[in-house]
Amino acid sequence: MSHLTDLPPWAAIAVCALLLLGAATTLIGSLGLLRLSDFYERLHAPTIATSGGTILICLASILCFAVLQGRWVFHELLIIFFVTVTTPVTLMLLGQAALYRDRFEERQDVPRKPRPALDEE
Amino acid sequence: MRTWLPYPLLSTGLFVMWLLLNQSVAPGSILLGLVLSAVLAWVTLKLQPARSNLHRLGRAFGLAVHVVGDIIRSNIAVTGIILRSRRRPANAGFLTIDLDLDDENALALLACIVTATPGTAWLEYDRRLKTVLIHVLDIENEALWRRTVKGYEAQLKEIFQ
């Protein structure tokens, strides 16, 4: 990518900062998978990467190509939108599967399935 | 109108997405986008999604700003928790919150917002009791999480009912 050198310094610095920040955020999200002890806690770690990391890296991409091509580029907004909308679905499925398993094994530290109140009938 | 465009909002969204993907407003891509958005809305008709009445759509913008702000704030908070977790393990826990939303689309949107925000995950919704089970990474601020979810609920209620 030789034309990357065409970036003016201010844009290069901003793009680098956004990229590094996004990469660091994603790294911390992955670190969370390693460090957190419980499955339900680990459920929270990837959301950092998919929200913060994706947004920052996509902003860097928007800025870089907007400056290079001299017009606004909005592809990345679609990436942000779809990643944000689809990740929760996977996480909710995983969370429910874990909850189902833990209740089946009768672990004490997960909440019971709510029973209907008796006076409902 | 209803027969030709069963889901006007979905069609508009698809059309805008098509133009964004093509990066052009040439007559050809507009025509193709119109045809595609109409046909795909027809396909969706077969899936019979729940219809909801959208009232003040303008409020949706306020909600979006609110959500983005919360995502940034909780990103920083959860980053801190992960980095500190060697010395001080995360204090996570479950939380049951009563909801007063009936609209399925509003519930789906709330679930996506809650799960997309780091630090809170939507686990289970009980249709009968109208309660939701949420797992939070930082149970110490329990009152804050309750307030946050209730705030979203109020905003969604204004948009959907």
Side-chain angles (χ1 to χ4, degrees):
Chain A
M1 296 288 277
S2 58
H3 61 265
L4 273 184
T5 48
D6 298 344
L7 270 182
W10 65 268
I13 290 171
V15 168
C16 282
L18 282 171
L19 261 185
L20 280 177
L21 216 61
T25 314
T26 314
L27 181 68
I28 289 170
S30 322
L31 196 67
L33 281 180
L34 203 65
R35 280 199 176 173
L36 296 174
S37 52
D38 187 358
F39 180 82
Y40 299 103
E41 287 176 19
R42 283 197 289 273
L43 217 53
H44 299 290
T47 50
I48 291 194
T50 57
S51 65
T54 314
I55 291 175
L56 285 170
I57 292 173
C58 285
L59 281 181
S61 165
I62 290 178
L63 186 64
C64 176
F65 289 103
V67 172
L68 276 183
Q69 301 180 1
R71 64 191 172 103
W72 286 105
V73 185
F74 291 115
H75 276 132
E76 286 86 353
L77 291 183
L78 288 177
I79 300 182
I80 294 177
F81 176 74
F82 282 117
V83 168
T84 314
V85 168
T86 51
T87 327
V89 180
T90 327
L91 289 178
M92 275 181 255
L93 274 176
L94 285 174
Q96 282 204 332
L99 201 62
Y100 181 79
R101 180 198 60 193
D102 287 346
R103 276 174 181 161
F104 189 75
E105 290 175 353
E106 296 184 342
R107 263 177 55 170
Q108 293 307 310
D109 49 351
V110 294
R112 308 269 94 206
K113 192 163 182 57
R115 298 252 176 263
L118 283 176
D119 54 15
E120 241 177 53
E121 294 157 17
Chain B
M1 192 65 190
R2 277 276 171 210
T3 41
W4 287 106
L5 281 176
Y7 298 100
L9 207 63
L10 175 76
S11 294
T12 320
L14 282 171
F15 180 61
V16 170
M17 195 186 91
W18 178 255
L19 289 187
L20 273 176
L21 278 176
N22 274 311
Q23 301 268 324
S24 79
V25 279
S29 56
I30 287 182
L31 188 68
L32 204 54
L34 281 176
V35 171
L36 266 182
S37 54
V39 169
L40 285 175
W42 268 89
V43 174
T44 317
L45 202 58
K46 286 277 172 211
L47 294 174
Q48 299 179 329
R51 248 179 221 290
S52 41
N53 294 318
L54 290 174
H55 286 299
R56 287 158 265 186
L57 259 185
R59 296 283 174 92
F61 184 72
L63 178 67
V65 172
H66 191 165
V67 170
V68 170
D70 272 357
I71 284 184
I72 293 171
R73 215 172 315 137
S74 53
N75 254 301
I76 296 168
V78 175
T79 302
I81 289 177
I82 288 176
L83 290 181
R84 266 184 276 120
S85 62
R86 270 283 158 72
R87 272 172 282 135
R88 207 165 60 93
N91 189 5
F94 295 93
L95 200 63
T96 312
I97 299 179
D98 295 323
L99 287 182
D100 191 25
L101 280 174
D102 288 321
D103 192 293
E104 292 198 357
N105 295 321
L107 278 169
L109 198 56
L110 183 62
C112 275
I113 292 173
V114 169
T115 313
T117 317
T120 49
W122 177 287
L123 283 180
E124 186 180 58
Y125 177 69
D126 191 300
R127 239 172 238 281
R128 202 177 45 236
L129 301 175
K130 288 193 177 180
T131 56
V132 60
L133 184 66
I134 287 178
H135 186 265
V136 293
L137 199 49
D138 175 19
I139 195 81
E140 281 154 36
N141 295 325
E142 189 179 333
L144 172 79
W145 295 124
R146 275 183 201 281
R147 237 185 2 258
T148 315
V149 175
K150 279 292 179 189
Y152 287 143
E153 186 198 357
Q155 278 177 305
L156 282 172
K157 246 182 154 175
E158 279 187 2
I159 296 172
F160 279 88
Q161 278 160 22

